[in-house]
Amino acid sequence: MGIPVVIRQATLVDVEGIVEVHTQARTAYYIAGGLSADDLADPAQTQTQQRYDGWARALQSPDRVVKCATQDGKVVGILSMGRPNSPTIDARTVGQLYQIHVIPSHWGNGIGARLHTSFVDYLTDSFLPTGLLEVWERNTRAQSFYSKLGWKPDGERRPGPDGSDYVFLRLAAPAAR
């Protein structure tokens, strides 16, 4: 029996671990999608500081919910969710899944699915019938993951890196509890 994974509300103490998970997962899926390590390189470390600042803001925002998956005290997965980013989307009926990231060494262990369940619980508890997310079209691993969980493309897109778009997916949430 392995070390248990705990899903909990993230705090500012977790920011460094959150940034590490985000950076490793992002690097893995962009490289798998055809970007080179040079395309992702950041010699000045400005992206790391921007990520740190962004996650700290998210943790303090009343419009965001950030959870982390920890194992033996180490952050191994993260979930960020809340109101839709677009002002044209009705926040009374849609909750947005901004990000699920799992450290690549822990892929395939069910952590992403457990974080996703926390998002579905958020929708249900908030009486939101629809989930929205965007995923890079070359991130076929994520698209397969979300498809298995019932997400469907809604036809919307926005430009992404290397001439590939981010595609928008929607999920019909279970009835509110």
Side-chain angles (χ1 to χ4, degrees), residues 17 32 62 72 89 116 130 163:
D72 200 23
I89 297 173
H116 183 268
T130 305

Side-chain angles (χ1 to χ4, degrees), residues 111-135:
I111 296 169
R114 288 188 55 200
L115 290 167
H116 183 268
T117 297
S118 289
F119 174 71
V120 173
D121 290 345
Y122 164 78
L123 292 176
T124 303
D125 294 345
S126 301
F127 301 96
L128 298 169
T130 305
L132 174 70
L133 74 87
E134 51 186 276
V135 62

